[in-house]
Structure formats: C-alpha cells, structure tokens
Amino acid sequence: AVLIAAAAGVSIGLFVGYRGGAWDRIVMRCADVLQSIPTLVFAFAIIAVIGRGLTPATLAVAFIFSIAYIRITRGVALRERERLYVDAAKVAGLSTPRIIFSEILPNLSGPLIIETSLLLGSAQLVIAMLSFLGLGLDADAPDWGGMLNEARLYQGIHPLLAVPSGLAITLSVLLFNLLGDSLRDIVAGHQQRPHGTRRTRAQRDRSTAAPPSDPSIALAMHQARVEFPLGPNRSLRILDNVSLTLHKGETFGLVGESGSGKSITALAMLGLAPAPGAITAGSVYVNGRDLLGLPDAELARIRGGDIAMIFQDPMAAFSPVHTIGEQMMRPLRAHRNASKAEARDRAIALLSRVGVVNAARRFDDYPHQLSGGMAQRAMIAMALMCEPKILLADEPTTALDVTVQAQVLDLLAELQAEFGMAMLLVTHDLGVVAETCDRVGVMYAGQIVEIGDAHGVFSAPRHPYTRALMASASTGVRRGARLPTIAGRVPPPWAWPSGCRFHPRCAHAVEACRKGDMALVDGVRCARSDELLETVAS
C-alpha cells in the first residue's frame, strides 16, 4: 500500500511542484478536499464501492496515503526548483523529466524516507483497524487485526489472548519509525545527534593551559582540535591543535587555501563545529573563562554579546521567513533586555551606519529583497547590535564584486576603530591582510604553519607555503605572463601526509620533512625555516 502511494504521490507532487501554475492550484485544492475527510471514513467509502479483501484494502490505504506524498513532495520541490543547481541543469540542456527525476528527486530522499517510515506504521494501524471491524482481509486470512477481533469474542475466557497480536502491532509501528530514522541518516547523510553534542564537553580533553595573564589579550585559543566521528573508537581529525591569541583592538588575519581549516577555526572559537564534528580538545579563553567548558545557557549569553560573528554567506545565515529588522533586534533584546522600540531604533541606526539606504524602510524587508552587498551590510549591523568586544569575520567579502568588497572592508575598519573591537579576519586575499591586519596566521591542512607580525611575515616569510601563497598572488606579474600557481592541492583530512603536511608540494622538502610530527617553533612549522630565511636574505 505504501509503495503504491509513494509511486503515485511522489510523481504527482514532483510534477505540480516543478510546473506550478494552474496544475499546482487544481491538484492541491483536490488534495485539500480529500485530506479533510477522516482516513477511516474515506477507507469505508472506497471499500463499499470495490468490496472487501486484500486488494481493496491495499488500494484504499494507498489512495489515502498518496495525498500525504503529494503534499510533502510538492512542498520540497517548490523550494528545490529555485536552487542554482536546477538552473545549471537547464543551462546544460537537460530535459524536464531528467531535471525532475535525476536532479530534484535525489534531494527529496531524506523527507520522503521519513514520511515513508511514518506511513508504514500508519498503514499497519489502518489495515489492522479495518480487519478488526471486519472490512479488511478475508476471515480465513491470518491478520493481526482479525486476531484482535477474535480475542475480543473470547476475552471473558482468555483475557490475555489479545496481548500477542497487540504487541506485534505496537512493535512493528515503532520499528518502522526507527528504521526510517536510520535509513534517513544513511541515504540523506544527516547524522542526527542528541542536543548539545556539537560541543562534547564531557569527552573533550581538558587543556592544561591557564587563562592568559596578559590583560591586553581579548581571546586566547590553545590546542583546539575538531574531529568527525567515523564509527566506534574512530574519528577523522579536521582541526589539529590550533593555538592563537587575539589582542584587544587588533586585526588578526587568517589565510590559506580552501580546505585549510580557517572557517572551522572561527567556529571552534564559539564552541561550535560543523555537524557531525565535535571539539574534542583545547580551550578558548575570553575574559578568563574557557568558552568550551561553559554550559549552553552561559555560552548563549556570551555569543552575540561579548563575541559576534559575520558569516561568509549572509543569505544562508539570515532566516528567510523573518524580516531583517526582526532578526537584528533579537540579540539586543536577549542580551540587554531592551524594549522592542529601543531595539528597533538601534537596528535602524546601525543599518544607516553601515550604509543601507532608507534604513527605516529596509528594516521590514526580507533577506531575499536585499542585494548581496546590502545583505552583508545588514549582517555586519546585526553582529554589532550589542557592541561586541570580539568580532569574527568569516570571509565577509566572498561573492561580492570588487567595488563592494572595498566598501565592506573599509566599513569594517571604521567600525572596529569606533567600537574598539578585536577582529579575526578570515580571507583568501593576501593584499587585504597586508593592508588591514596587524598579525597574521597562515593555515594549511588543519594546522597553523606560520604566525607572526603581518609586516614580518610578508616581508620575510619563513615557511615555504607562505612564500608560495605570496608568489601566487597576481600582483607584479608581467602582462601576458603565466600566473604562478602552487602545484597540487590541499590534501583531505583522511590523506594528510606524515611529517610536514606541505612537503608533497614543497620544492625545498628533504627527508627530515617526511618524518614525525612537525611542531610550531618560534612561529613557524618548518624544519628548514632558518635555511630558507638565510637564502632569501642573501
């Protein structure tokens, strides 16, 4: 019954969700009418027309449940048809059926698997009820609902006769739901974990580092490690013992190729890790308190108040169903107990301050009504609502054109000076780091390979990777000449080499670079840093 319902309902839901228009309106109005009729009453009507037995009961349940499939498939298809991958498929010349079934349908697997598991349990209950009422299977067919009906007749003589079939129905419904959760995790790749496991405090290796004694330090990260579970007693390390300090009022630049671990480092500072990862070691001290050891309630009071973050994709970071203003007011009302009027005035003032034209009118706009540059400005304004002392900016100029990039970076510099914030700037642009940052950390394969004063790092880089990044910048390249590149790519975490992780791509690697763990000594993780520095000097 459920397979028939899925085949019919998913096909119709995909069609009307992708096509929209009159087809969508007609089908959904019919679905609304049919779904308003109680399930058993509708089943009674179908069985009254086509008779009782296995086939009529199956068709009746399939017809009823197909409505549920139509609704959920149509809802997800409406969302997916607006995604960029659908536009890319159209540009590639794919036919409509192929776009629907090979591009959109696979992205519906998670919700459909869960819905199927729920409907399998519901189908078990509906068919059992029909058999109990004498409208399901034939009397001579073995059926749990029929067994319950017979047990009712002999309840005075054998009061426990209904227990086996009743338990069978109950356990089968529960097992269908558990099976759906497991299949959803496998097929859709969504690892669901209990609340609070993004920061595994109980399992985290406590750091032996004491809180920093220097009052000028706003944030100190020590030996932070992020791992992704692979199974029992197995994990994949993504961030490997990262340590850095952020001083009050300074701008710290974090650079490196994509996949180096820059964004995860910023998230780890807030006690977060991308699912299903977890922070398994290290500490992050702010005002003498280890953020990674705090309960969720205390950490929530610090996030957005003392420390805020600007995400690289504001369209994804903003909720699409709430206005910009509504989302901006939340931090101030949560942390400062401000009234709605006070929060509104503050939000409008900040929107105007960051350069949003007609801020009072745009306050009530939804995220999709803003351009990329305006959305990024609104994200900056929301981060500044509580005047944080620490600002984490995760590639704040990604996907913006060059003019808007310059405006956003100038705005961040002005706001930092105005509010006296310490700022961590995650970026790919070495030119931006050289112009705006006081200190810089270079990341590669989950490790910081060089850290120090920005002028010193760029004028005399001591790690071959830093030198390769600088050589790859287009600045100073003769017109018409081939742009320099770094051979190879950043290795994935499951293929990190032993020794120095950059040695497979390094022209200066020797045998010593391939053995043992390479420690960060005097701000550089390289066995030949002194030799290379002398070579550059000479």
Side-chain angles (χ1 to χ4, degrees), residues 489-527:
R489 62 176 184 174
V490 180
W494 57 86
W496 282 344
S498 59
C500 175
R501 293 176 183 172
F502 185 63
H503 83 257
R505 306 172 67 187
C506 180
H508 306 281
V510 295
E511 187 60 28
C513 301
R514 299 175 173 85
K515 298 179 180 179
D517 293 331
M518 198 66 62
L520 188 69
V521 180
D522 295 330
V524 64
R525 198 183 298 269
C526 179

Side-chain angles (χ1 to χ4, degrees), residues 48-128:
V49 173
I50 61 178
R52 63 187 293 265
L54 176 61
T55 300
T58 302
L59 293 178
V61 174
F63 189 87
I64 296 168
F65 287 174
S66 65
I67 306 301
Y69 277 109
I70 290 174
R71 296 186 71 88
I72 189 171
T73 305
R74 177 252 186 189
V76 181
L78 284 174
R79 180 194 66 191
E80 293 296 321
R81 71 177 185 177
E82 305 298 332
R83 298 293 177 90
L84 288 177
Y85 74 86
V86 175
D87 292 335
K90 292 177 181 178
V91 172
L94 271 64
S95 63
T96 297
R98 187 172 177 184
I99 292 176
I100 291 175
F101 290 103
S102 66
E103 300 293 326
I104 296 180
L105 181 58
N107 288 283
L108 276 61
S109 59
L112 291 180
I113 289 173
I114 288 297
E115 185 70 12
T116 299
S117 69
L118 295 175
L119 291 181
L120 282 169
S122 299
Q124 176 65 63
L125 289 175
V126 172
I127 292 178

Side-chain angles (χ1 to χ4, degrees), residues 35 41 87 98 140 156 197 235 249 283 340 367 373-374 400 422 424 446 452 466 492 514 535:
Q35 202 164 36
V41 173
D87 292 335
R98 187 172 177 184
D140 58 345
T197 54
S235 62
S283 59
K340 189 172 183 179
M374 287 295 103
L400 300 179
L424 176 77
T466 308
R514 299 175 173 85
T535 303

Side-chain angles (χ1 to χ4, degrees), residues 85-359:
Y85 74 86
V86 175
D87 292 335
K90 292 177 181 178
V91 172
L94 271 64
S95 63
T96 297
R98 187 172 177 184
I99 292 176
I100 291 175
F101 290 103
S102 66
E103 300 293 326
I104 296 180
L105 181 58
N107 288 283
L108 276 61
S109 59
L112 291 180
I113 289 173
I114 288 297
E115 185 70 12
T116 299
S117 69
L118 295 175
L119 291 181
L120 282 169
S122 299
Q124 176 65 63
L125 289 175
V126 172
I127 292 178
M129 283 189 288
L130 291 176
S131 297
F132 181 79
L133 296 173
L135 298 175
L137 303 187
D138 295 331
D140 58 345
D143 173 65
W144 289 336
M147 293 169 64
L148 282 176
N149 186 36
E150 292 184 6
R152 177 182 59 85
L153 300 176
Y154 298 99
Q155 189 170 6
I157 304 174
H158 300 288
L160 301 180
L161 195 59
V163 172
S165 53
L167 284 178
I169 294 173
T170 302
L171 291 176
S172 65
V173 172
L174 292 176
L175 289 173
F176 277 136
N177 291 340
L178 292 175
L179 176 64
D181 288 342
S182 300
L183 289 176
R184 186 271 316 274
D185 292 343
I186 295 171
V187 176
H190 297 302
Q191 296 286 343
Q192 297 295 322
R193 295 171 295 150
H195 175 69
T197 54
R198 292 192 76 186
R199 299 181 299 114
T200 53
R201 293 186 299 274
Q203 300 175 1
R204 183 171 61 93
D205 296 336
R206 298 294 303 182
S207 172
T208 57
S213 57
D214 187 349
S216 68
I217 294 179
L219 180 148
M221 171 181 276
H222 178 74
Q223 300 293 308
R225 187 171 69 215
V226 174
E227 295 179 309
F228 279 51
L230 295 179
N233 302 319
R234 294 179 61 235
S235 62
L236 185 67
R237 189 169 297 184
I238 304 296
L239 204 64
D240 193 8
N241 298 329
V242 174
S243 299
L244 59 88
T245 56
L246 190 61
H247 292 83
K248 295 178 180 179
E250 82 163 346
T251 302
F252 187 99
L254 200 57
V255 299
E257 296 172 272
S258 295
S260 296
K262 305 183 301 298
S263 296
I264 293 183
T265 299
L267 290 172
M269 290 179 177
L270 291 171
L272 302 173
I279 300 167
T280 57
S283 59
V284 177
Y285 283 103
V286 174
N287 296 328
R289 305 180 72 189
D290 182 6
L291 300 189
L292 305 187
L294 294 178
D296 289 336
E298 292 187 38
L299 187 56
R301 288 194 287 269
I302 295 176
R303 292 175 183 155
D306 295 335
I307 181 170
M309 187 167 186
I310 301 172
F311 295 93
Q312 59 179 292
D313 186 357
M315 291 301 184
F318 278 122
S319 169
V321 298
H322 299 95
T323 64
I324 292 294
E326 184 180 354
Q327 297 178 67
M328 288 186 62
M329 291 191 298
R330 290 173 182 168
L332 196 64
R333 301 196 69 184
H335 294 283
R336 305 290 176 83
N337 294 320
S339 66
K340 189 172 183 179
E342 292 173 338
R344 179 184 176 88
D345 292 342
R346 168 74 172 168
I348 292 175
L350 274 176
L351 283 175
S352 179
R353 176 67 184 84
V354 299
V356 175
V357 182
N358 297 324

Side-chain angles (χ1 to χ4, degrees), residues 415-459:
L415 294 172
Q416 182 189 14
E418 180 178 336
F419 291 99
M421 298 180 296
M423 183 168 67
L424 176 77
L425 180 62
V426 176
T427 181
H428 292 278
D429 196 328
L430 296 179
V432 169
V433 174
E435 292 180 8
T436 62
C437 294
D438 303 299
R439 292 190 302 131
V440 61
V442 182
M443 289 202 73
Y444 184 80
Q447 294 179 330
I448 288 184
V449 297
E450 186 168 359
I451 189 170
D453 175 77
H455 175 73
V457 169
F458 288 123
S459 61

